[in-house]
Amino acid sequence: MSNDTLFQEALTHFPGGVSSPVRAFRAVGGTPKFFRKAWGSRFEDEEGRRYVDLCMSWGPLILGHAVPEIISAAVEAMQEGLTFGAPSRRELALARRIKSMVPFLDKMRFVSSGTEAVMSALRAARGYTKRERILKFDGCYHGHSDAMLVKAGSGLVTFGEPSSAGVPRGFADLTTVISLDDLEALEATFDKLGHELAAAIIEPIPANNGLLVQDTTFLRRLRELCNAYGVVLIFDEVISGFRVAPGGAAELLGITPDLVTYGKIIGGGMPVGLYGGRKDIMAVISPDGPVYQAGTLSGNPVAMAAGLATLERLTPNVYRSLDQKGAQWAAAFEKMPGLHVPRVGSLLWPLFQPGVKRADRVESGAIARFNKMHGLLLKEGVYLPPSGYEVAFLSAAHGDEELAHVERAIGVVAAALKNED
Ligand SMILES: Cc1ncc(COP(=O)(O)O)c(C=O)c1O
Ligand SMILES: N[C@H](C=O)CCC(=O)O
């Protein structure tokens, strides 16, 4: 059955024909592909076309699609039951592995998505400080909880609506947003609002409005100001966690947050989120404290098994290899005239503009050219995330064969773009 036929039916079931907005291909044009199977660094759509996948389900698949050891761990868990709604040894095993990689995690709680993790961390911070205001940074995306849908990245900036409709004014009014990479605005905001702030939340490596790599000085000053004003510093590492280093951006940058949120990789492709950090803050979480947070499938044993099978395989060699791949693939993409590829490890942002550090500095013309490149690369069997504001993800499964395929595709597309100019 063709992608078009499937999409026509999908439009009768789902808003935009999709279960999550960016995959609707609205930004890049054309019909979204429906996939039927995936393996390693590739997947196949319902028309039998195969692609080198550089979206990798938006980040969870750091080892690749359908890794046999992860599949077998999940199947083994499934055979003992899909969900218990009660504690399990697999929860403990994943928690131990995570603590071995993230030493500052005193206490944690598993949830089922990054959005839930962020929503819960913010509530913990508000419960702990008894303050209400939250500081976030323009272009950072922290999932779709109301308080975070203000000047956010990802699908919001993709569709030109950085703040979502349907968010009660009261929520938005309690979220203060300033630009990344603006020390003056940071100082002024803490000077004026520091004693009102429950939390400051940031993607320490912002990767949802493109890859807006921050100077460490900016992040260190944020840490200092949070200390000075008793503000809970939350690192949202749903993308960077366990990807850029075993201990994520906190390890890479040498900055310890008070709370951290994870998702994606810790589920190995199954739905898992996590929030945690200082034990005195986590002490407010029910049933120990008055801040309520719950989830039917929290700590799901099958998801725990897939997450553990993933994290157990993230060895120092894997990280070294991913960083080398990142450099190789960035260099390959930069053979496309005018294309720059800021990267951190295996996170790449192919954009027709030199690297930027602020969401409001990304040029619309660069995004438009990305959109054109996206469709041409797709025809050559290369699947980039369908938005110029989303980063590309490599995995341990992206090898020399895939790199050669992409290099050939880049040559073809570069010629096509030149002819169109
Ligand atoms: C930094 C960040 N935080 C939170 C989220 C939300 O996670 P989820 O989509 O699992 O709800 C995302 C999703 O891309 C993200 O990139
Ligand atoms: N960046 C989003 C999730 O991580 C985009 C997912 C989607 O809307 O398809």
Side-chain angles (χ1 to χ4, degrees):
M1 194 176 285
S2 75
N3 289 307
D4 282 335
T5 305
L6 290 164
F7 189 50
Q8 287 312 310
E9 181 189 346
L11 287 167
T12 68
H13 301 308
F14 318 120
V18 290
S19 293
S20 189
V22 182
R23 65 192 68 172
F25 270 44
R26 285 282 172 86
V28 296
T31 302
K33 309 303 178 191
F34 284 68
F35 289 94
R36 60 188 181 197
K37 68 179 177 183
W39 65 98
S41 61
R42 297 174 189 250
F43 53 177
E44 180 180 291
D45 73 13
E46 287 290 350
E47 294 177 8
R49 287 191 182 84
R50 296 181 169 188
Y51 306 85
V52 174
D53 184 3
L54 292 171
C55 184
M56 296 304 282
S57 186
W58 312 98
L61 306 174
I62 191 168
L63 295 175
H65 283 289
V67 174
E69 296 83 356
I70 298 171
I71 300 283
S72 55
V75 168
E76 183 185 334
M78 273 185 226
Q79 286 163 341
E80 297 175 1
L82 289 170
T83 177
F84 306 133
S88 77
R89 69 180 190 285
R90 289 190 165 89
E91 252 174 315
L92 303 185
L94 184 55
R96 281 195 294 268
R97 177 63 186 175
I98 289 171
K99 277 195 172 182
S100 75
M101 299 170 84
V102 185
F104 65 80
L105 256 182
D106 298 337
K107 284 282 183 78
M108 68 185 83
R109 177 63 68 83
F110 289 117
V111 292
S112 297
S113 70
T115 293
E116 258 195 284
V118 167
M119 189 169 61
S120 308
L122 292 172
R123 192 177 307 132
R126 284 171 159 153
Y128 175 76
T129 61
K130 298 183 176 48
R131 301 175 186 174
E132 292 189 347
R133 183 163 297 281
I134 301 293
L135 172 63
K136 78 174 286 291
F137 295 84
D138 183 10
C140 287
Y141 176 71
H142 302 290
H144 64 88
S145 59
D146 282 340
M148 292 292 98
L149 291 178
V150 183
K151 287 195 175 181
S154 186
L156 293 111
V157 71
T158 295
F159 303 127
E161 297 292 341
S163 301
S164 174
V167 174
R169 172 153 303 287
F171 277 78
D173 287 349
L174 283 173
T175 303
T176 296
V177 185
I178 61 174
S179 174
L180 290 163
D181 192 45
D182 187 341
L183 273 172
E184 196 176 315
L186 188 65
E187 298 285 354
T189 300
F190 273 84
D191 187 39
K192 181 179 175 196
L193 299 170
H195 292 300
E196 288 180 41
L197 290 174
I201 185 168
I202 192 167
E203 291 178 68
I205 299 174
N208 279 291
N209 201 115
L211 199 54
L212 306 173
V213 182
Q214 298 299 293
D215 292 332
T216 312
T217 47
F218 181 75
L219 295 166
R220 288 198 189 291
R221 186 59 185 145
L222 175 61
R223 173 70 278 179
E224 288 167 0
L225 288 164
C226 285
N227 290 340
Y229 286 86
V231 178
V232 175
L233 176 58
I234 301 173
F235 273 6
D236 180 354
E237 294 218 46
V238 168
I239 283 185
S240 55
F242 307 97
R243 177 165 286 273
V244 299
E251 176 187 324
L252 197 67
L253 302 169
I255 301 173
T256 301
D258 300 308
L259 293 179
V260 65
T261 55
Y262 298 122
K264 297 183 192 270
I265 287 172
I266 64 169
M270 300 293 286
V272 180
L274 178 155
Y275 70 102
R278 277 173 37 196
K279 56 179 178 286
D280 60 328
I281 300 176
M282 293 298 286
V284 302
I285 299 296
S286 177
D288 291 346
V291 175
Y292 196 72
Q293 174 269 312
T296 300
L297 296 176
S298 294
N300 176 271
V302 179
M304 299 291 103
L308 181 62
T310 299
L311 296 190
E312 283 176 333
R313 286 165 177 78
L314 293 181
T315 62
N317 279 341
V318 167
Y319 285 105
R320 275 192 291 274
S321 169
L322 282 168
D323 191 47
Q324 288 161 4
K325 287 180 200 271
Q328 283 180 317
W329 285 67
F333 269 102
E334 287 184 337
K335 288 176 184 165
M336 177 84 72
L339 195 67
H340 301 263
V341 185
R343 78 175 181 94
V344 177
S346 56
L347 292 176
L348 287 72
W349 183 32
L351 189 77
F352 290 95
Q353 182 183 348
V356 291
K357 296 180 189 292
R358 293 177 46 144
D360 59 359
R361 297 284 161 77
V362 179
E363 294 165 4
S364 57
I367 297 293
R369 194 153 179 87
F370 170 90
N371 293 341
K372 192 174 287 189
M373 177 183 74
H374 182 278
L376 292 169
L377 281 173
L378 201 62
K379 288 179 181 152
E380 300 301 321
V382 178
Y383 188 100
L384 280 169
S387 162
Y389 293 101
E390 302 278 1
V391 296
F393 296 90
L394 292 174
S395 79
H398 286 75
D400 292 342
E401 192 179 316
E402 287 74 29
L403 180 58
H405 177 123
V406 169
E407 284 175 330
R408 286 193 298 274
I410 286 166
V412 171
V413 170
L417 285 174
K418 188 168 184 291
N419 290 339
E420 283 189 22
D421 290 346

